[in-house]
Amino acid sequence: MNHIKEIHAADFVAVVQSGVSTQKLQEAVEKRGLFYPPDPASRADNFIGGNVATNAGGPRCLKYGVTRDYVLGLEVVLADGAILHVGGRTHKNKTGFDLTRLFVGSEGLLGVVTEVTLKLIPLPPFRATLAAGFDSMKSAVCALQKILAGGFIPSALELADAFTLAAAAKHTGNNRLGICRAYLIVELDGQRKSIHSELPAVERVIRRHKPLFVERGCGNDECEKIWQIRREFSDALRATGLMKLNEDIVVPRGKLEELFKFTAKLQKKHNLPIACFGHAGDGNIHTNVMVDFNQPRARQRADAALDELFRQVLAWGGAITGEHGIGLAKKRWWPLAVSKKVRKLHSTIKTALDPKGILNPGKFV
Amino acid sequence: MNHIKEIHAADFVAVVQSGVSTQKLQEAVEKRGLFYPPDPASRADNFIGGNVATNAGGPRCLKYGVTRDYVLGLEVVLADGAILHVGGRTHKNKTGFDLTRLFVGSEGLLGVVTEVTLKLIPLPPFRATLAAGFDSMKSAVCALQKILAGGFIPSALELADAFTLAAAAKHTGNNRLGICRAYLIVELDGQRKSIHSELPAVERVIRRHKPLFVERGCGNDECEKIWQIRREFSDALRATGLMKLNEDIVVPRGKLEELFKFTAKLQKKHNLPIACFGHAGDGNIHTNVMVDFNQPRARQRADAALDELFRQVLAWGGAITGEHGIGLAKKRWWPLAVSKKVRKLHSTIKTALDPKGILNPGKFV
């Protein structure tokens, strides 16, 4: 189940079994000058099958889209044991209903994915990264919005808040992070000459918002050094000794600043740190409620904070999950997130495909 | 039903009723520095609702994806009269099954779409177009493949064959087209400085394949002049006086040259011109079987040619439709295009959502 069956450079297609790790696939296709963009942070430890089940994202999804956008075809075992092949290997396909994408993100509730045909694209020849510290989240968000307004679509636009940065400074010894209230990472990719002219243009936009510092990385090695810091955020938060309840809410992009203001209030009200970082370009922020379960009523306070957060996100037209799914962890908020009619349609489809309810039972549907 | 309800620049979202024309939406968002990429050729005469029903494409889909990739949320009237809201207005959303994309491309068989929430992206500040004539399709296809292999993702990569070009030369008076056996259009968009450096790089790739001529267009006005020729192709074919049976097959990208060879053979065998042009970058070629219905057994010969074409496309791992759908016209080939199990799953879903079969009856399911 962990075999890359085919990488076809002219068709721009890979066929992989569902147990192939995302990183293994990416490394294999990049050797051939090809690119599989979706990049969940845990790409070394997760698998294409799981990526399909959750419609996994990652930083690069801002420019390149999520797992869904790369699935051309699937082999799926249905509840009755039938082996189904949906989609195909063409980059466009309008043959019937979009069954492929009905299975993508269905969290194992409609079938078991055993093989995936993926779209590949040409590997961008060059990349460059900017990382900037700010003394306010407002400035960082404003810089982010001005970059997009300038017609740039970076391959990543990530933000981190003060709590995350303090933890990262302590964990990594990078003291500069500790003085910031916000940290913005912008990555550009494409042709080398283009990136060399776009990088200073984006840096000028950032500098207009008075950053405390700006770091530049050109080419893979320098970029990876900056991303190494970003990848430490989760470990740094865990190293605080607090339990990290990692949510993945999404707000409409224009609500980013309000989201950070709201979580700041929420922290005070419930006396719990909330560490926010993530894919700000998509409005998709990992909001980590940090809990010390030795403290009185810790679970209740965390739940109350999450409940308030989710209600506010939904009131803004946001979503309670951008890349993790509902599963068990968010089952409680499922009736809040979607209408009764939408839940009914989920049941209709689930019952039609899995009448005995044997696939991943007990989850949100 | 033809009202643009909202264009939100900070959220990068538009909310439109299904009767809004694609061109009207595009012009409205572009005034605000925003971009809605899907661009079916008939964008002045078609509507967002129809685009959603067929998951419409167009030249720019190579870089930017199809209609599906821009639909964030839908208002749908179900068969039982219930008004359902699926999805939302965030650029990422993993709340439950992907019901939004179950309705996209469902050709009106599962519900009636009345309102659509669309993702917008930043408008690229600049565009440039290259058009090159070749004395063989092989050279044109090879140039196309080398552009992609160079890590370029053009916003369009279109090809046209000799029959199409001869008709276009006659129809438009552009005699240069008539001497070519193939014509390649490449469009690049992005930051002005980047495009100014990428354009000559792409032109160098093209010139290595010995084009008869290369035309350059920089900026909207010059690009539109080149695209005006491309947009005349359908009218030029109709002006031949022959009936144009427009198919929209897709082949895996590596099979492009074989496809053109195959249609050349097919023309001779069935004594019918087949005019091919379209979105070659996606492998999605409009294969127009040109029929004179005054000739003996014209219908039978056309049907036989189509049947052979579709069988060969499927044998290559291709699809019989990339952007038009099955509907009535391809209903005959539906059982050939997908397995019995896939057809059964279509029926299961159709029955679950529309048990009385009142939505768009008589179509392929």
mmCIF file of all heavy atoms in Angstrom, chain A residues 11-12 68-69 83 92 94 97 101 105 107 194 198 253-254 284 321 323 341-342 346, chain B residues 11-12 68-69 83 85 92 94 97 101 105 107 194 198 253-254 284 321 323 341-342 346:
data_model
loop_
_atom_site.group_PDB
_atom_site.id
_atom_site.type_symbol
_atom_site.label_atom_id
_atom_site.label_comp_id
_atom_site.label_asym_id
_atom_site.label_seq_id
_atom_site.Cartn_x
_atom_site.Cartn_y
_atom_site.Cartn_z
ATOM 1 N N ASP A 11 2.583 13.275 -19.183
ATOM 2 C CA ASP A 11 1.168 13.411 -18.804
ATOM 3 C C ASP A 11 0.989 14.298 -17.570
ATOM 4 O O ASP A 11 -0.118 14.703 -17.250
ATOM 5 C CB ASP A 11 0.552 12.032 -18.507
ATOM 6 C CG ASP A 11 0.320 11.208 -19.770
ATOM 7 O OD1 ASP A 11 0.535 11.743 -20.872
ATOM 8 O OD2 ASP A 11 -0.077 10.033 -19.636
ATOM 9 N N PHE A 12 2.075 14.559 -16.835
ATOM 10 C CA PHE A 12 2.002 15.302 -15.567
ATOM 11 C C PHE A 12 1.032 14.601 -14.602
ATOM 12 O O PHE A 12 0.082 15.198 -14.099
ATOM 13 C CB PHE A 12 1.601 16.767 -15.811
ATOM 14 C CG PHE A 12 2.718 17.602 -16.399
ATOM 15 C CD1 PHE A 12 2.982 17.582 -17.754
ATOM 16 C CD2 PHE A 12 3.518 18.387 -15.581
ATOM 17 C CE1 PHE A 12 4.022 18.326 -18.305
ATOM 18 C CE2 PHE A 12 4.564 19.136 -16.119
ATOM 19 C CZ PHE A 12 4.816 19.113 -17.482
ATOM 20 N N ARG A 68 -7.746 18.281 -2.949
ATOM 21 C CA ARG A 68 -8.864 18.140 -3.895
ATOM 22 C C ARG A 68 -8.504 18.541 -5.325
ATOM 23 O O ARG A 68 -8.921 17.897 -6.285
ATOM 24 C CB ARG A 68 -9.983 19.062 -3.385
ATOM 25 C CG ARG A 68 -11.176 19.190 -4.281
ATOM 26 C CD ARG A 68 -12.182 20.149 -3.657
ATOM 27 N NE ARG A 68 -11.725 21.528 -3.710
ATOM 28 C CZ ARG A 68 -11.958 22.443 -2.780
ATOM 29 N NH1 ARG A 68 -12.641 22.142 -1.712
ATOM 30 N NH2 ARG A 68 -11.505 23.665 -2.915
ATOM 31 N N ASP A 69 -7.745 19.627 -5.448
ATOM 32 C CA ASP A 69 -7.448 20.186 -6.769
ATOM 33 C C ASP A 69 -6.417 19.362 -7.536
ATOM 34 O O ASP A 69 -6.141 19.644 -8.700
ATOM 35 C CB ASP A 69 -6.977 21.631 -6.616
ATOM 36 C CG ASP A 69 -8.004 22.461 -5.867
ATOM 37 O OD1 ASP A 69 -9.197 22.326 -6.187
ATOM 38 O OD2 ASP A 69 -7.638 23.210 -4.943
ATOM 39 N N ILE A 83 -15.094 -2.646 -5.819
ATOM 40 C CA ILE A 83 -13.946 -1.771 -6.078
ATOM 41 C C ILE A 83 -14.315 -0.848 -7.233
ATOM 42 O O ILE A 83 -14.633 -1.301 -8.329
ATOM 43 C CB ILE A 83 -12.687 -2.593 -6.421
ATOM 44 C CG1 ILE A 83 -12.323 -3.472 -5.217
ATOM 45 C CG2 ILE A 83 -11.528 -1.674 -6.783
ATOM 46 C CD1 ILE A 83 -11.213 -4.464 -5.499
ATOM 47 N N LYS A 92 -8.499 17.566 -17.178
ATOM 48 C CA LYS A 92 -9.883 18.031 -17.197
ATOM 49 C C LYS A 92 -10.764 16.815 -17.418
ATOM 50 O O LYS A 92 -10.380 15.904 -18.167
ATOM 51 C CB LYS A 92 -10.111 18.995 -18.352
ATOM 52 C CG LYS A 92 -10.038 20.465 -18.036
ATOM 53 C CD LYS A 92 -10.229 21.227 -19.335
ATOM 54 C CE LYS A 92 -10.371 22.704 -19.147
ATOM 55 N NZ LYS A 92 -10.428 23.363 -20.473
ATOM 56 N N LYS A 94 -15.195 16.011 -17.472
ATOM 57 C CA LYS A 94 -16.566 16.395 -17.096
ATOM 58 C C LYS A 94 -17.534 15.258 -17.389
ATOM 59 O O LYS A 94 -18.655 15.463 -17.845
ATOM 60 C CB LYS A 94 -16.911 17.704 -17.824
ATOM 61 C CG LYS A 94 -18.145 18.479 -17.437
ATOM 62 C CD LYS A 94 -18.574 18.335 -16.010
ATOM 63 C CE LYS A 94 -20.076 18.179 -15.894
ATOM 64 N NZ LYS A 94 -20.548 16.796 -15.917
ATOM 65 N N PHE A 97 -21.238 13.073 -12.694
ATOM 66 C CA PHE A 97 -21.099 13.797 -11.427
ATOM 67 C C PHE A 97 -19.641 13.746 -10.968
ATOM 68 O O PHE A 97 -18.886 12.851 -11.350
ATOM 69 C CB PHE A 97 -21.972 13.154 -10.336
ATOM 70 C CG PHE A 97 -23.445 13.114 -10.644
ATOM 71 C CD1 PHE A 97 -24.266 12.148 -10.039
ATOM 72 C CD2 PHE A 97 -24.036 14.018 -11.515
ATOM 73 C CE1 PHE A 97 -25.626 12.096 -10.312
ATOM 74 C CE2 PHE A 97 -25.403 13.972 -11.790
ATOM 75 C CZ PHE A 97 -26.197 13.000 -11.182
ATOM 76 N N ARG A 101 -14.501 14.010 -6.218
ATOM 77 C CA ARG A 101 -14.454 14.978 -5.121
ATOM 78 C C ARG A 101 -15.499 14.705 -4.041
ATOM 79 O O ARG A 101 -15.445 15.280 -2.970
ATOM 80 C CB ARG A 101 -14.529 16.403 -5.659
ATOM 81 C CG ARG A 101 -13.121 17.020 -5.763
ATOM 82 C CD ARG A 101 -13.019 18.035 -6.848
ATOM 83 N NE ARG A 101 -12.997 17.356 -8.115
ATOM 84 C CZ ARG A 101 -11.884 17.029 -8.775
ATOM 85 N NH1 ARG A 101 -10.718 17.374 -8.316
ATOM 86 N NH2 ARG A 101 -11.948 16.378 -9.921
ATOM 87 N N GLY A 105 -12.083 14.238 1.029
ATOM 88 C CA GLY A 105 -12.574 14.967 2.198
ATOM 89 C C GLY A 105 -13.735 14.293 2.904
ATOM 90 O O GLY A 105 -14.322 14.866 3.819
ATOM 91 N N GLU A 107 -13.605 11.804 4.829
ATOM 92 C CA GLU A 107 -13.146 11.281 6.117
ATOM 93 C C GLU A 107 -13.409 9.784 6.293
ATOM 94 O O GLU A 107 -13.733 9.325 7.397
ATOM 95 C CB GLU A 107 -13.761 12.086 7.271
ATOM 96 C CG GLU A 107 -13.440 13.589 7.183
ATOM 97 C CD GLU A 107 -13.864 14.386 8.411
ATOM 98 O OE1 GLU A 107 -13.940 13.819 9.514
ATOM 99 O OE2 GLU A 107 -14.118 15.595 8.256
ATOM 100 N N SER A 194 12.180 36.457 -12.646
ATOM 101 C CA SER A 194 10.931 37.068 -12.173
ATOM 102 C C SER A 194 10.955 37.218 -10.662
ATOM 103 O O SER A 194 10.597 38.274 -10.123
ATOM 104 C CB SER A 194 9.732 36.207 -12.568
ATOM 105 O OG SER A 194 9.708 36.015 -13.965
ATOM 106 N N GLU A 198 10.498 40.375 -8.283
ATOM 107 C CA GLU A 198 9.295 40.486 -7.434
ATOM 108 C C GLU A 198 9.654 40.587 -5.950
ATOM 109 O O GLU A 198 8.947 41.237 -5.170
ATOM 110 C CB GLU A 198 8.366 39.289 -7.685
ATOM 111 C CG GLU A 198 7.712 39.355 -9.062
ATOM 112 C CD GLU A 198 6.867 38.145 -9.420
ATOM 113 O OE1 GLU A 198 6.451 37.401 -8.514
ATOM 114 O OE2 GLU A 198 6.625 37.945 -10.625
ATOM 115 N N ARG A 253 -11.167 36.406 4.382
ATOM 116 C CA ARG A 253 -9.852 37.032 4.471
ATOM 117 C C ARG A 253 -9.892 38.432 5.106
ATOM 118 O O ARG A 253 -8.973 38.809 5.826
ATOM 119 C CB ARG A 253 -9.266 37.101 3.072
ATOM 120 C CG ARG A 253 -7.783 37.072 3.043
ATOM 121 C CD ARG A 253 -7.329 37.239 1.611
ATOM 122 N NE ARG A 253 -6.997 35.981 0.980
ATOM 123 C CZ ARG A 253 -6.943 35.812 -0.342
ATOM 124 N NH1 ARG A 253 -7.239 36.797 -1.145
ATOM 125 N NH2 ARG A 253 -6.603 34.652 -0.850
ATOM 126 N N GLY A 254 -10.965 39.167 4.876
ATOM 127 C CA GLY A 254 -11.076 40.524 5.419
ATOM 128 C C GLY A 254 -11.258 40.575 6.923
ATOM 129 O O GLY A 254 -11.202 41.653 7.527
ATOM 130 N N ASN A 284 -6.991 30.941 7.037
ATOM 131 C CA ASN A 284 -7.015 29.665 7.762
ATOM 132 C C ASN A 284 -5.940 29.674 8.858
ATOM 133 O O ASN A 284 -4.758 29.521 8.584
ATOM 134 C CB ASN A 284 -6.756 28.538 6.750
ATOM 135 C CG ASN A 284 -6.765 27.132 7.333
ATOM 136 O OD1 ASN A 284 -6.180 26.230 6.756
ATOM 137 N ND2 ASN A 284 -7.403 26.928 8.471
ATOM 138 N N THR A 321 -13.522 24.458 10.392
ATOM 139 C CA THR A 321 -12.360 23.654 10.003
ATOM 140 C C THR A 321 -11.992 23.912 8.540
ATOM 141 O O THR A 321 -12.857 23.892 7.656
ATOM 142 C CB THR A 321 -12.592 22.140 10.247
ATOM 143 O OG1 THR A 321 -11.495 21.405 9.688
ATOM 144 C CG2 THR A 321 -13.893 21.646 9.638
ATOM 145 N N GLU A 323 -8.862 22.455 7.235
ATOM 146 C CA GLU A 323 -8.070 21.360 6.667
ATOM 147 C C GLU A 323 -8.022 20.099 7.528
ATOM 148 O O GLU A 323 -7.422 19.117 7.106
ATOM 149 C CB GLU A 323 -6.638 21.816 6.317
ATOM 150 C CG GLU A 323 -5.966 22.675 7.345
ATOM 151 C CD GLU A 323 -4.611 23.228 6.883
ATOM 152 O OE1 GLU A 323 -4.353 23.313 5.676
ATOM 153 O OE2 GLU A 323 -3.809 23.550 7.763
ATOM 154 N N LYS A 341 -30.850 21.037 7.125
ATOM 155 C CA LYS A 341 -31.018 20.517 5.762
ATOM 156 C C LYS A 341 -29.705 19.934 5.224
ATOM 157 O O LYS A 341 -29.710 18.924 4.525
ATOM 158 C CB LYS A 341 -31.489 21.632 4.828
ATOM 159 C CG LYS A 341 -32.940 22.032 5.036
ATOM 160 C CD LYS A 341 -33.263 23.243 4.165
ATOM 161 C CE LYS A 341 -34.588 23.857 4.554
ATOM 162 N NZ LYS A 341 -34.787 25.176 3.915
ATOM 163 N N VAL A 342 -28.611 20.597 5.539
ATOM 164 C CA VAL A 342 -27.305 20.104 5.085
ATOM 165 C C VAL A 342 -26.971 18.796 5.811
ATOM 166 O O VAL A 342 -26.462 17.847 5.206
ATOM 167 C CB VAL A 342 -26.203 21.170 5.300
ATOM 168 C CG1 VAL A 342 -24.810 20.571 5.126
ATOM 169 C CG2 VAL A 342 -26.388 22.331 4.328
ATOM 170 N N HIS A 346 -26.318 15.060 4.180
ATOM 171 C CA HIS A 346 -25.196 14.178 4.531
ATOM 172 C C HIS A 346 -25.708 12.772 4.861
ATOM 173 O O HIS A 346 -25.157 11.777 4.387
ATOM 174 C CB HIS A 346 -24.435 14.738 5.741
ATOM 175 C CG HIS A 346 -23.375 15.737 5.381
ATOM 176 N ND1 HIS A 346 -23.662 17.040 5.066
ATOM 177 C CD2 HIS A 346 -22.026 15.625 5.286
ATOM 178 C CE1 HIS A 346 -22.526 17.690 4.790
ATOM 179 N NE2 HIS A 346 -21.519 16.853 4.916
ATOM 180 N N ASP B 11 -12.415 40.276 1.226
ATOM 181 C CA ASP B 11 -12.662 38.827 1.357
ATOM 182 C C ASP B 11 -12.316 38.069 0.070
ATOM 183 O O ASP B 11 -12.243 36.845 0.081
ATOM 184 C CB ASP B 11 -14.140 38.557 1.693
ATOM 185 C CG ASP B 11 -14.481 38.920 3.123
ATOM 186 O OD1 ASP B 11 -13.560 39.286 3.882
ATOM 187 O OD2 ASP B 11 -15.676 38.848 3.482
ATOM 188 N N PHE B 12 -12.154 38.790 -1.047
ATOM 189 C CA PHE B 12 -11.934 38.163 -2.355
ATOM 190 C C PHE B 12 -13.080 37.196 -2.672
ATOM 191 O O PHE B 12 -12.870 36.011 -2.932
ATOM 192 C CB PHE B 12 -10.580 37.457 -2.413
ATOM 193 C CG PHE B 12 -9.413 38.407 -2.535
ATOM 194 C CD1 PHE B 12 -8.885 39.040 -1.417
ATOM 195 C CD2 PHE B 12 -8.859 38.699 -3.773
ATOM 196 C CE1 PHE B 12 -7.825 39.941 -1.525
ATOM 197 C CE2 PHE B 12 -7.801 39.594 -3.886
ATOM 198 C CZ PHE B 12 -7.277 40.220 -2.765
ATOM 199 N N ARG B 68 -15.353 24.843 -10.963
ATOM 200 C CA ARG B 68 -15.336 24.115 -9.679
ATOM 201 C C ARG B 68 -14.395 24.734 -8.651
ATOM 202 O O ARG B 68 -14.716 24.803 -7.463
ATOM 203 C CB ARG B 68 -14.858 22.693 -9.989
ATOM 204 C CG ARG B 68 -14.634 21.816 -8.806
ATOM 205 C CD ARG B 68 -14.140 20.456 -9.258
ATOM 206 N NE ARG B 68 -12.789 20.497 -9.770
ATOM 207 C CZ ARG B 68 -12.337 19.760 -10.784
ATOM 208 N NH1 ARG B 68 -13.142 18.908 -11.388
ATOM 209 N NH2 ARG B 68 -11.097 19.854 -11.182
ATOM 210 N N ASP B 69 -13.227 25.162 -9.109
ATOM 211 C CA ASP B 69 -12.193 25.644 -8.196
ATOM 212 C C ASP B 69 -12.501 27.040 -7.652
ATOM 213 O O ASP B 69 -11.775 27.537 -6.797
ATOM 214 C CB ASP B 69 -10.841 25.628 -8.910
ATOM 215 C CG ASP B 69 -10.514 24.243 -9.452
ATOM 216 O OD1 ASP B 69 -10.741 23.271 -8.706
ATOM 217 O OD2 ASP B 69 -10.093 24.115 -10.609
ATOM 218 N N ILE B 83 -34.811 24.717 0.093
ATOM 219 C CA ILE B 83 -33.720 25.600 -0.333
ATOM 220 C C ILE B 83 -32.522 25.331 0.568
ATOM 221 O O ILE B 83 -32.590 25.477 1.791
ATOM 222 C CB ILE B 83 -34.145 27.079 -0.249
ATOM 223 C CG1 ILE B 83 -35.309 27.322 -1.215
ATOM 224 C CG2 ILE B 83 -32.972 27.990 -0.586
ATOM 225 C CD1 ILE B 83 -35.949 28.691 -1.079
ATOM 226 N N HIS B 85 -28.362 25.692 1.514
ATOM 227 C CA HIS B 85 -27.129 26.472 1.372
ATOM 228 C C HIS B 85 -25.957 25.573 1.730
ATOM 229 O O HIS B 85 -25.874 25.097 2.860
ATOM 230 C CB HIS B 85 -27.164 27.701 2.289
ATOM 231 C CG HIS B 85 -28.201 28.692 1.869
ATOM 232 N ND1 HIS B 85 -29.497 28.654 2.346
ATOM 233 C CD2 HIS B 85 -28.142 29.712 0.977
ATOM 234 C CE1 HIS B 85 -30.192 29.623 1.763
ATOM 235 N NE2 HIS B 85 -29.400 30.287 0.936
ATOM 236 N N LYS B 92 -11.058 28.331 2.166
ATOM 237 C CA LYS B 92 -10.859 26.934 2.553
ATOM 238 C C LYS B 92 -12.045 26.533 3.412
ATOM 239 O O LYS B 92 -12.553 27.354 4.195
ATOM 240 C CB LYS B 92 -9.600 26.788 3.399
ATOM 241 C CG LYS B 92 -8.353 26.369 2.668
ATOM 242 C CD LYS B 92 -7.207 26.353 3.657
ATOM 243 C CE LYS B 92 -5.962 25.721 3.138
ATOM 244 N NZ LYS B 92 -4.888 25.865 4.150
ATOM 245 N N LYS B 94 -13.520 22.696 5.257
ATOM 246 C CA LYS B 94 -13.531 21.235 5.301
ATOM 247 C C LYS B 94 -14.634 20.736 6.233
ATOM 248 O O LYS B 94 -14.470 19.782 6.972
ATOM 249 C CB LYS B 94 -12.135 20.753 5.708
ATOM 250 C CG LYS B 94 -11.735 19.300 5.541
ATOM 251 C CD LYS B 94 -12.491 18.543 4.498
ATOM 252 C CE LYS B 94 -12.916 17.177 5.002
ATOM 253 N NZ LYS B 94 -14.249 17.115 5.589
ATOM 254 N N PHE B 97 -18.958 16.635 4.008
ATOM 255 C CA PHE B 97 -18.712 16.206 2.623
ATOM 256 C C PHE B 97 -18.672 17.432 1.703
ATOM 257 O O PHE B 97 -19.228 18.479 2.025
ATOM 258 C CB PHE B 97 -19.834 15.271 2.133
ATOM 259 C CG PHE B 97 -20.015 14.020 2.947
ATOM 260 C CD1 PHE B 97 -21.240 13.353 2.964
ATOM 261 C CD2 PHE B 97 -18.974 13.491 3.708
ATOM 262 C CE1 PHE B 97 -21.425 12.194 3.703
ATOM 263 C CE2 PHE B 97 -19.147 12.326 4.447
ATOM 264 C CZ PHE B 97 -20.383 11.686 4.452
ATOM 265 N N ARG B 101 -19.252 20.752 -4.455
ATOM 266 C CA ARG B 101 -18.742 20.225 -5.717
ATOM 267 C C ARG B 101 -19.543 19.025 -6.223
ATOM 268 O O ARG B 101 -19.381 18.609 -7.370
ATOM 269 C CB ARG B 101 -17.247 19.906 -5.617
ATOM 270 C CG ARG B 101 -16.411 21.039 -6.214
ATOM 271 C CD ARG B 101 -15.078 21.180 -5.576
ATOM 272 N NE ARG B 101 -15.249 21.744 -4.250
ATOM 273 C CZ ARG B 101 -15.131 23.043 -3.958
ATOM 274 N NH1 ARG B 101 -14.791 23.898 -4.874
ATOM 275 N NH2 ARG B 101 -15.331 23.475 -2.727
ATOM 276 N N GLY B 105 -21.226 20.864 -11.835
ATOM 277 C CA GLY B 105 -21.053 19.884 -12.907
ATOM 278 C C GLY B 105 -22.121 18.808 -12.934
ATOM 279 O O GLY B 105 -22.025 17.861 -13.705
ATOM 280 N N GLU B 107 -25.074 19.077 -13.979
ATOM 281 C CA GLU B 107 -25.938 19.291 -15.157
ATOM 282 C C GLU B 107 -27.424 19.396 -14.793
ATOM 283 O O GLU B 107 -28.283 18.916 -15.534
ATOM 284 C CB GLU B 107 -25.712 18.172 -16.195
ATOM 285 C CG GLU B 107 -24.249 18.068 -16.644
ATOM 286 C CD GLU B 107 -24.027 17.118 -17.821
ATOM 287 O OE1 GLU B 107 -24.946 16.917 -18.612
ATOM 288 O OE2 GLU B 107 -22.903 16.571 -17.934
ATOM 289 N N SER B 194 8.170 40.810 -14.552
ATOM 290 C CA SER B 194 8.353 39.361 -14.700
ATOM 291 C C SER B 194 7.955 38.921 -16.099
ATOM 292 O O SER B 194 8.676 38.143 -16.743
ATOM 293 C CB SER B 194 7.503 38.606 -13.674
ATOM 294 O OG SER B 194 7.819 39.028 -12.379
ATOM 295 N N GLU B 198 9.933 36.941 -18.933
ATOM 296 C CA GLU B 198 9.527 35.575 -19.295
ATOM 297 C C GLU B 198 9.153 35.460 -20.776
ATOM 298 O O GLU B 198 9.342 34.404 -21.391
ATOM 299 C CB GLU B 198 8.363 35.123 -18.399
ATOM 300 C CG GLU B 198 8.813 34.916 -16.958
ATOM 301 C CD GLU B 198 7.682 34.554 -16.001
ATOM 302 O OE1 GLU B 198 6.628 34.099 -16.456
ATOM 303 O OE2 GLU B 198 7.874 34.749 -14.776
ATOM 304 N N ARG B 253 -1.869 14.583 -21.356
ATOM 305 C CA ARG B 253 -1.114 15.604 -22.091
ATOM 306 C C ARG B 253 -0.066 15.006 -23.049
ATOM 307 O O ARG B 253 0.185 15.540 -24.108
ATOM 308 C CB ARG B 253 -0.452 16.524 -21.077
ATOM 309 C CG ARG B 253 -0.224 17.888 -21.567
ATOM 310 C CD ARG B 253 0.520 18.677 -20.497
ATOM 311 N NE ARG B 253 -0.371 19.503 -19.701
ATOM 312 C CZ ARG B 253 -0.050 19.967 -18.495
ATOM 313 N NH1 ARG B 253 1.097 19.647 -17.940
ATOM 314 N NH2 ARG B 253 -0.891 20.740 -17.842
ATOM 315 N N GLY B 254 0.511 13.879 -22.655
ATOM 316 C CA GLY B 254 1.543 13.245 -23.476
ATOM 317 C C GLY B 254 1.013 12.634 -24.770
ATOM 318 O O GLY B 254 1.793 12.209 -25.625
ATOM 319 N N ASN B 284 -7.155 19.210 -23.696
ATOM 320 C CA ASN B 284 -8.600 19.343 -23.967
ATOM 321 C C ASN B 284 -8.794 20.012 -25.328
ATOM 322 O O ASN B 284 -8.642 21.217 -25.472
ATOM 323 C CB ASN B 284 -9.225 20.189 -22.856
ATOM 324 C CG ASN B 284 -10.726 20.405 -22.971
ATOM 325 O OD1 ASN B 284 -11.250 21.355 -22.416
ATOM 326 N ND2 ASN B 284 -11.424 19.540 -23.672
ATOM 327 N N THR B 321 -15.423 14.077 -22.537
ATOM 328 C CA THR B 321 -15.829 15.471 -22.371
ATOM 329 C C THR B 321 -15.010 16.155 -21.277
ATOM 330 O O THR B 321 -14.860 15.616 -20.177
ATOM 331 C CB THR B 321 -17.349 15.613 -22.086
ATOM 332 O OG1 THR B 321 -17.634 16.980 -21.779
ATOM 333 C CG2 THR B 321 -17.801 14.734 -20.934
ATOM 334 N N GLU B 323 -15.359 19.789 -20.826
ATOM 335 C CA GLU B 323 -16.020 20.980 -20.293
ATOM 336 C C GLU B 323 -17.477 21.136 -20.727
ATOM 337 O O GLU B 323 -18.132 22.081 -20.292
ATOM 338 C CB GLU B 323 -15.225 22.256 -20.629
ATOM 339 C CG GLU B 323 -14.694 22.358 -22.029
ATOM 340 C CD GLU B 323 -13.803 23.590 -22.261
ATOM 341 O OE1 GLU B 323 -13.252 24.148 -21.288
ATOM 342 O OE2 GLU B 323 -13.692 23.998 -23.403
ATOM 343 N N LYS B 341 -20.328 0.016 -12.474
ATOM 344 C CA LYS B 341 -20.342 0.394 -11.047
ATOM 345 C C LYS B 341 -20.463 1.907 -10.883
ATOM 346 O O LYS B 341 -21.140 2.383 -9.963
ATOM 347 C CB LYS B 341 -19.057 -0.085 -10.371
ATOM 348 C CG LYS B 341 -19.009 -1.585 -10.139
ATOM 349 C CD LYS B 341 -17.652 -1.984 -9.566
ATOM 350 C CE LYS B 341 -17.446 -3.487 -9.610
ATOM 351 N NZ LYS B 341 -16.044 -3.844 -9.366
ATOM 352 N N VAL B 342 -19.776 2.645 -11.744
ATOM 353 C CA VAL B 342 -19.851 4.106 -11.668
ATOM 354 C C VAL B 342 -21.255 4.577 -12.058
ATOM 355 O O VAL B 342 -21.819 5.475 -11.425
ATOM 356 C CB VAL B 342 -18.770 4.767 -12.550
ATOM 357 C CG1 VAL B 342 -19.028 6.257 -12.729
ATOM 358 C CG2 VAL B 342 -17.385 4.556 -11.935
ATOM 359 N N HIS B 346 -24.005 6.669 -9.788
ATOM 360 C CA HIS B 346 -24.745 7.851 -10.259
ATOM 361 C C HIS B 346 -26.241 7.683 -9.977
ATOM 362 O O HIS B 346 -26.890 8.601 -9.474
ATOM 363 C CB HIS B 346 -24.526 8.059 -11.767
ATOM 364 C CG HIS B 346 -23.306 8.851 -12.105
ATOM 365 N ND1 HIS B 346 -22.039 8.315 -12.086
ATOM 366 C CD2 HIS B 346 -23.140 10.158 -12.468
ATOM 367 C CE1 HIS B 346 -21.157 9.255 -12.425
ATOM 368 N NE2 HIS B 346 -21.802 10.379 -12.662
#
